[in-house]
């Protein structure tokens, strides 16, 4: 697996900070996914900006983006390297879960891939991310 250099990741993070307020759900999901899959440890400033933007537009996420983002957040928080632990605001986790629950109730969350990602996020985050029985029964 290719591992980008720290210098490249820092430059991308800096660019992210300059335009984060323009990010739509797809870009937010892709950013968290990229951080998680490259095991990047974002700066506190970048993480705070991402959380702020996610909270501002979480209602605009489609069900697939919600599931992907939940999985990526769980992976990011569990990519412990050199003793550094990344923490995502409980408010962000709660809002993602709320939107997932809403999507499940309105039957817009019905593909197996999304549900698999939700189960995986629940497994990784434990008590911090507890889907309802109705969502888990799907």
């Amino acid at each position: 697996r290719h591992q980008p250099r720290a210098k490249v990741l820092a430059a991308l993070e800096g660019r992210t900070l300059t335009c984060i307020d323009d990010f739509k759900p797809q870009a937010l999901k892709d950013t968290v996914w990229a951080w998680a899959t490259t095991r990047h440890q974002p700066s506190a400033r970048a993480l705070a900006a991402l959380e702020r933007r996610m909270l501002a537009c979480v209602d605009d996420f489609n069900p697939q983006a919600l599931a992907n983002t939940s999985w990526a957040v769980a992976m990011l928080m569990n990519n412990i390297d050199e003793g550094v632990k990344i923490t995502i605001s409980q408010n962000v986790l709660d809002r993602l879960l709320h939107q997932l629950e809403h999507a499940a109730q309105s039957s817009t969350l019905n593909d197996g891939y999304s549900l698999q990602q939700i189960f995986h996020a629940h497994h990784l985050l434990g008590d911090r991310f507890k889907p309802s029985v109705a969502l888990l029964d799907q």
Side-chain angles (χ1 to χ4, degrees):
R1 169 166 69 158
H2 175 70
Q3 184 63 37
R5 293 183 181 195
K7 196 174 191 179
V8 172
L9 290 171
L12 288 170
E13 189 176 290
R15 178 68 179 134
T16 297
L17 284 168
T18 64
C19 58
I20 191 104
D21 290 330
D22 296 327
F23 278 25
K24 307 263 187 273
Q26 177 78 31
L28 293 167
K29 173 199 62 84
D30 291 346
T31 300
V32 177
W33 181 88
W35 288 350
T37 58
T38 60
R39 294 181 172 254
H40 176 61
Q41 295 175 354
S43 68
R45 184 174 169 220
L47 197 56
L50 184 86
E51 288 177 335
R52 178 182 46 77
R53 185 64 186 149
M54 285 176 69
L55 288 171
C57 64
V58 71
D59 294 341
D60 299 329
F61 279 64
N62 66 38
Q64 182 67 50
L66 286 167
N68 291 348
T69 303
S70 299
W71 175 86
V73 164
M75 291 300 293
L76 182 66
M77 291 176 64
N78 282 278
N79 283 343
I80 300 168
D81 218 9
E82 299 172 19
V84 177
K85 184 150 175 86
I86 296 170
T87 303
I88 301 290
S89 157
Q90 187 63 46
N91 192 24
V92 170
L93 296 174
D94 291 346
R95 291 286 306 278
L96 285 170
L97 184 55
H98 174 77
Q99 289 302 107
L100 282 166
E101 296 283 355
H102 177 73
Q105 289 171 1
S106 64
S107 299
T108 57
L109 183 67
N110 54 10
D111 66 275
Y113 180 71
S114 295
L115 295 172
Q116 183 180 23
Q117 289 181 311
I118 294 165
F119 290 131
H120 194 222
H122 172 56
H123 173 74
L124 289 172
L125 296 175
D127 288 342
R128 293 201 61 204
F129 192 80
K130 286 185 158 182
S132 69
V133 173
L135 181 56
L136 292 175
D137 280 346
Q138 287 205 19

